[in-house]
Amino acid sequence: MSLIVQKYGGTSVGDVARIRNVASRVAACRTAGDAVVVVVSAMAGETNRLLGLAHELSPDADEREKDVLIATGEQVTVALLAIALNVAGCPALSFLGHQVRIATDSAFGKARIKSIDASRIGAALADGKVVVVAGFQGVDVKDNITTLGRGGSDTSAVALAAVLHADRCEIYTDVEGVFTSDPRLCPNARKLARISYDEMLELASLGTKVLQIRSVEFAKRYGVPLHVRSTFTETEGTWVVEEEASMEDILVSGVTYDRDEAKITLLRVPDQPGLAARVFGPIADANVSVDMIIQNASADGTTDLTFTVPQADFRRAHALVEAHARELGAAGVRTDTDVAKVSIVGLGMRSHAGVAAKMFRTLAEVGINIEMISTSEIKTSVVIAAKYVELAVRVLHDAFLGAGESS
Ligand code: ADP
Ligand code: ASP
Ligand code: MG
């Protein structure tokens, strides 16, 4: 008998018929003799709907209360799935995050899991039950409800798989696996049979939303084999695994994009030691994570300092920069929220020169201007005008991964 953790995303539990479909998949697994812990997301669109309600009351709604609000989405689906399973003759028990002590820190809206008390889940499994756990939510030391950030149910599932020493964690979603690019944007994208944890980490951190980045971090740290696959077919999906020798041969594994970027430029600041510390200190103190930074010095001793932040943090970061601009001696502040980041990722980039150059050439050939560049061992990212994202992704995909048929 294996222990399997299965996670079903929002589309997979989007209505009652789909919840019934999930129940029959889980029941089939149970009938085959495996023990199953199921993690579910809120029904498709529900988290956004709830956030919209809060936004109507205030664009700066209290973070603690927003977590109380959006955690309700998953409360609905665990109950509905447990009901559907019981109806299907498969005894099931639902649990909310706090009931199985998914303990997190107190960073509302982006809390991190610290520990999970597996005893109640273990007892229910020993009793022959399917255990259905609410994804995305936890509880802090003061018993406040917390949520794990968008896409956080993936992380709930992998963390549970790690704690329970599950044989594998299956992420059921609305596509057949991890593709070479977003299949909804890039018609030539192909499903990958296997991808390394490190490449998946890069893809997730650069905008590929099929897995939340923290879920991949957990999977890597605890060696949880991860299988991303479709809720609607029986097709084998993508295995996210330890790096294998043959993976190095592939120059680029994926092309990804992130529209969640905003750019801020401090103009003509006196170029002195300590400048960056004075600009980025207050931003870090406000818990805003800065992504890319470029500084271009001019001959007259001043410099333009440009950086990007997530859209959600833009207002706060902009206000902080404006507040400090005068004392920093800047000539002004310029912002641009119509930007996006496009990246190529691949283990093979470690050992092959010229990949970045080919990327820049490919974009130049279609007239796309590159505003910022950042590279690391296995990725190259560029910031471009948001309106060119689709074109950039398609030409880069065709240049590095071919325009052939899906496999
Ligand atoms: P779920 O609700 O099941 O968690 P998500 O919407 O979070 O599903 O993630 C699945 C979506 O991720 C797909 O519908 C697809 O559009 C998007 N996606 C983006 N990049 C990729 C990629 N490289 N491979 C697969 N899916 C991707
Ligand atoms: N419901 C949450 C969200 O929409 C968590 C998840 O789906 O993973 O982000
Ligand atoms: Mg998701």
Side-chain angles (χ1 to χ4, degrees), residues 7 154 171 173-175 177-179 200 204 207-212 215 228:
K7 177 258 171 177
D154 299 330
I171 305 285
T173 184
D174 56 6
V175 287
V178 180
F179 283 65
M200 195 62 236
T208 301
K209 297 204 166 62
V210 68
L211 286 174
Q212 197 197 36
S215 71
V228 181

Side-chain angles (χ1 to χ4, degrees), residues 7 9-10 41-42 47-48 74 136 149-154:
K7 177 258 171 177
S41 293
T47 311
N48 285 341
E74 276 72 10
F136 185 50
R150 300 309 302 268
S153 298
D154 299 330

Side-chain angles (χ1 to χ4, degrees), residues 7 17 69 118 137 159 162 166 193 204 217 274 284 295 348 398:
K7 177 258 171 177
L69 175 69
Q137 54 177 264
E217 285 168 0
Q295 188 177 342
D398 290 353

Side-chain angles (χ1 to χ4, degrees), residues 39 42 98 122 181 228 256 274 297 326 334 341:
V39 173
H98 71 89
S181 191
V228 181
T256 188
R326 188 185 291 267
R334 197 187 298 147
K341 182 167 63 179

